[in-house]
Amino acid sequence: MRTVKGKTDRVVVVGGGLSGLSAALYLAGRGRNVTVVEREEHPGGRVGRADVSGYRLDMGPTVLTMPDIIDDAMAAVGEKLTDRLELLPVHPAYNAVFAGGDTLKVHTDPTAMYAEVERFSSRKEADAYLQMRQWLTALYDTEFDGFIGANFDSPLSLLTPQLGRLLAMGGFRRWESVIRKFLSDERLLRVFTFQALYAGVPPQSALAVYAVIAYMDTVAGVYFPRGGMRALPDAMAAAAASAGVEFVYGATVSGIERSGSRATAVLTDGGQRIPADAVVLTTELPETYRLLDHAPRRLLKLRPAPSAVVAHVGVPAVDSSVGHHTILFGEAWKQTFTDIITDGRVMGDPSLLVTRPTAGDPSLAPPGRDLLYVLAPTPNTEVGTVNWDDATSSAYVEHMLGAVRERLPHVGDDMEVLSVVTPADWGRQGMLAGTPFALAHTFAQTGPFRPANTVRGVDNVVLAGSSTVPGVGVPTAVMSGRLAADRITGVPVRQANREVVGR
């Protein structure tokens, strides 16, 4: 593995999101003097936040899986995640609601899920679920260290024993076709393949290696930090600060000072010059290339993932029948991918993720109220034909909320729209093609074919975040920070073996 040569005592991390915080923790734990420069007045990056009318909104991801990966980063400075925040397991991980009215509780406990699948479908499907669960567990166990958690210097880096095992397991076949080997109920198939939306590729064409996302939330489990998702970067930043990391908030990086092929300092729009022996950039890809005055040399054009519209809604308090995470599947499930990826239009029959964070922490809403986060996948602004800055936005949000009212009748009609974020808004935040999901996980953008975390022609700048390895998501963003730190310090001896859930 290539590493930064020369002195690396002082490292500047640009961006205080999860990847930047992870990099800062690992680097501080390995003896580097670290400064994090963040343009907002608080940590978090894409784990955004807003306070509206007594509600505390999570403006970024709402599903937290694999907290042990975050705990690894905290352990780099001798801390535990649970010493900094309270993590609540979410049971069930999801409620799935289908267009015909059928409902399924997605349990991570195998016995509970077996019984639920048997109730919902048949004993044959329940037996198949256990077999599929074993396959998902073996997939995760096989690919974690050698594929997800590895730096690649070239495609030849893939030629490892793990690659052979992944090939034998069907990891480079299509996600949906592999799951069909186990499950025949189309509704269950959706539950274990919808996660392909996170990867930005239809399950019919997504690589089966990304079924590891289904392992993360349907086997390893889903969690919620009390205080909302914002509590996660707050905890990581507090641990980093205790370990000596310096934070510069409210400062936008305007340039990278260089001497030859090395970065020597980070410059801010406030006139600050922060000397650096190495730099970790977690900025959005267009901004990264601007700061480095670098245009990547790729045979294929980068393909952004689909985007999303997110509506934050206040409602009168609901009962426990509305779970923490609910997936509302539309009838036209396969058409969804054609709509948003191929045709560039909104879903005619929306499938939605509805999160009720107040199920885990009622203090996130005023007394007697609940908070809902409603996400609809949409085309990104590169392929989309929608003008999100005209009346289309409010009309589509009403269409989304109409589907929520119809499929979750306990929510009722009294909805107070607190905030709406559209692809146009993501674009104004600097996100490529107006998508918070960065680059789609096509084969040409997977592993060593994804934009690398090293930059040709710049010897001591390393990248982290969703657009580089290993990819999109909370666990992978945290891992990208560790991979960036490894590029600077080399890989230390691992201290512990990872526990794999589900065996």
Side-chain angles (χ1 to χ4, degrees), residues 54 88 224 226 356-371:
L88 308 172
F224 180 70
R226 192 177 295 280
R356 181 168 74 97
T358 38
D361 187 348
S363 72
L364 300 177
R369 305 287 289 181
D370 262 309
L371 175 60

Side-chain angles (χ1 to χ4, degrees), residues 92-99 101-107 113 116 119-120 187-188 190-192 194 321 323 325-329 352-354 407-408:
Y94 297 99
N95 288 335
V97 178
F98 298 89
D102 294 334
T103 62
L104 174 76
K105 292 183 178 179
V106 181
H107 299 283
M113 189 59 182
E116 179 68 354
R119 176 201 66 81
F120 178 79
R187 300 165 301 172
L188 291 174
R190 294 184 189 185
V191 169
F192 293 99
F194 83 89
S321 64
H325 297 296
T326 302
I327 310 164
L328 304 179
F329 286 106
L352 308 169
L353 170 65
V354 180
R407 301 176 202 174
L408 289 179

Side-chain angles (χ1 to χ4, degrees), residues 88-441:
L88 308 172
V90 175
H91 296 305
Y94 297 99
N95 288 335
V97 178
F98 298 89
D102 294 334
T103 62
L104 174 76
K105 292 183 178 179
V106 181
H107 299 283
T108 53
D109 175 77
T111 302
M113 189 59 182
Y114 182 95
E116 179 68 354
V117 172
E118 185 178 24
R119 176 201 66 81
F120 178 79
S121 183
S122 68
R123 177 167 293 184
K124 177 183 176 183
E125 290 294 285
D127 291 337
Y129 155 74
L130 290 181
Q131 295 172 2
M132 181 203 63
R133 180 186 174 99
Q134 290 178 347
W135 180 81
L136 288 173
T137 301
L139 180 72
Y140 176 81
D141 194 19
T142 300
E143 73 176 88
F144 184 87
D145 288 321
F147 192 77
I148 300 175
N151 276 311
F152 299 101
D153 289 334
S154 77
L156 294 176
S157 303
L158 273 176
L159 299 179
T160 65
Q162 287 98 326
L163 177 64
R165 290 194 288 272
L166 282 174
L167 285 168
M169 294 179 67
F172 291 94
R173 295 177 58 197
R174 300 306 175 188
W175 184 340
E176 183 177 291
S177 68
V178 173
I179 299 300
R180 281 189 185 279
K181 290 173 56 181
F182 301 101
L183 301 174
S184 57
D185 189 315
E186 292 291 329
R187 300 165 301 172
L188 291 174
L189 189 73
R190 294 184 189 185
V191 169
F192 293 99
T193 61
F194 83 89
Q195 298 88 351
L197 280 171
Y198 301 151
V201 184
Q204 299 89 352
S205 55
L207 294 176
V209 290
Y210 289 111
V212 72
I213 308 172
Y215 166 86
M216 290 178 178
D217 58 16
T218 68
V219 177
V222 175
Y223 297 82
F224 180 70
R226 192 177 295 280
M229 290 292 285
R230 70 175 74 182
L232 178 57
D234 285 350
M236 296 174 72
S242 294
V245 174
E246 179 184 0
F247 285 85
V248 180
Y249 290 113
T252 298
V253 171
S254 57
I256 305 292
E257 182 182 287
R258 288 166 62 176
S259 175
S261 62
R262 292 185 71 87
T264 55
V266 168
L267 310 176
T268 73
D269 58 358
Q272 193 171 4
R273 178 185 182 275
I274 306 171
D277 298 318
V279 175
V280 178
L281 282 179
T282 74
T283 43
E284 302 294 340
L285 207 55
E287 178 65 4
T288 296
Y289 293 150
R290 185 193 72 79
L291 289 171
L292 296 176
D293 191 23
H294 170 80
R297 294 187 296 181
R298 291 180 62 89
L299 294 176
L300 298 176
K301 183 178 179 292
L302 291 174
R303 176 178 156 186
S307 186
V309 169
V310 176
H312 301 266
V313 183
V315 297
V318 301
D319 60 40
S320 59
S321 64
V322 181
H324 195 115
H325 297 296
T326 302
I327 310 164
L328 304 179
F329 286 106
E331 185 66 36
W333 174 241
K334 289 186 178 180
Q335 183 63 33
T336 289
F337 299 97
T338 302
D339 287 343
I340 65 176
I341 294 175
T342 305
D343 296 341
R345 62 190 181 192
V346 296
M347 296 177 288
D349 179 16
S351 292
L352 308 169
L353 170 65
V354 180
T355 294
R356 181 168 74 97
T358 38
D361 187 348
S363 72
L364 300 177
R369 305 287 289 181
D370 262 309
L371 175 60
L372 301 182
Y373 166 110
V374 183
L375 181 148
T378 66
N380 61 48
T381 57
E382 184 175 282
V383 301
T385 60
V386 181
N387 180 359
W388 292 106
D389 289 328
D390 65 14
T392 301
S393 175
S394 57
Y396 192 65
V397 168
E398 183 52 41
H399 184 51
M400 291 163 54
L401 299 185
V404 173
R405 294 185 189 99
E406 178 183 349
R407 301 176 202 174
L408 289 179
H410 293 289
V411 168
D413 295 330
D414 182 11
M415 293 185 171
E416 174 188 8
V417 178
L418 306 167
S419 173
V420 173
V421 187
T422 71
D425 297 316
W426 303 122
R428 282 187 280 268
Q429 294 178 37
M431 299 180 190
L432 180 67
T435 173
F437 303 115
L439 302 178
H441 285 270

Side-chain angles (χ1 to χ4, degrees), residues 10-25:
R10 297 175 301 180
V11 184
V12 178
V13 178
V14 179
L18 297 183
S19 61
L21 293 170
S22 171
L25 287 164

